[in-house]
Amino acid sequence: MIVLDRKKEDLVELFSEEAIQKRIAEIAKQINADYPSDEPMCVICVLKGAVLFACDLIKHIDKETHFEFIKLESYGNSQSSSGEVKSVSMALPNLNSKNVLVVEDIVDTGLTAKFLLDYIQMHFQPKMLKLVALLNKKCARVHDIKVDYYGFEIDNKFVVGYGLDYMGYYRNLPYIGYFPQ
Ligand code: 5GP
């Protein structure tokens, strides 16, 4: 049995469940206004981290929506990027002429988002392609990437909860926090 060295009781809360849900409704309003009202959307959730965010976000989307999932990995079990993106499952429908929204949990170095956006643009010609991330760690950016929508900007902390894991755990927390040093 794995004994976690960090307990959820030790987490310092950064964003409460209420704050997250309020911000998601605000982002969705912006997305609804920007995407054509009479055309379907394709929302691509990047597993695993974005799953809670994407599921809550799409409830507010007022268009016909395809919900797709892909799985990418760059962190393994550590708290820093391996510098390499592993495509674990990249089964995407045909995105030609589609209005696409990629949903990420957090843009940190920007490697994962860049990998995915480049991949989509290399294989398809979407009509619209935008990126939404719940968290934006601008200070950690290595790859130049445009985050079209984001929930909160954070500084260079390793955050946990609401989809984001610590050693595979704590994704189920409805809030986001960090472990103090
Ligand atoms: P990137 O460095 O490629 O922008 O970030 C890739 C992925 O690393 C994110 O989608 C996320 O799953 C994970 N990640 C980045 N920063 C954090 C963090 O502070 N906490 C957790 N739990 N995962 C993170």
Side-chain angles (χ1 to χ4, degrees), residues 31-81:
I31 293 170
N32 282 330
D34 291 352
Y35 278 72
S37 54
D38 51 349
E39 292 174 21
M41 271 179 79
C42 180
V43 176
I44 301 173
C45 167
V46 183
L47 295 173
K48 298 176 188 171
V51 68
L52 271 65
F53 173 44
C55 287
D56 283 337
L57 182 73
I58 58 157
K59 293 178 202 163
H60 297 274
I61 299 292
D62 63 6
K63 297 156 211 330
E64 308 279 312
T65 300
H66 255 272
F67 198 19
E68 304 290 338
F69 299 84
I70 60 159
K71 193 170 171 195
L72 299 176
E73 272 174 14
S74 68
Y75 266 45
N77 258 347
S78 72
Q79 291 185 24
S80 60
S81 173

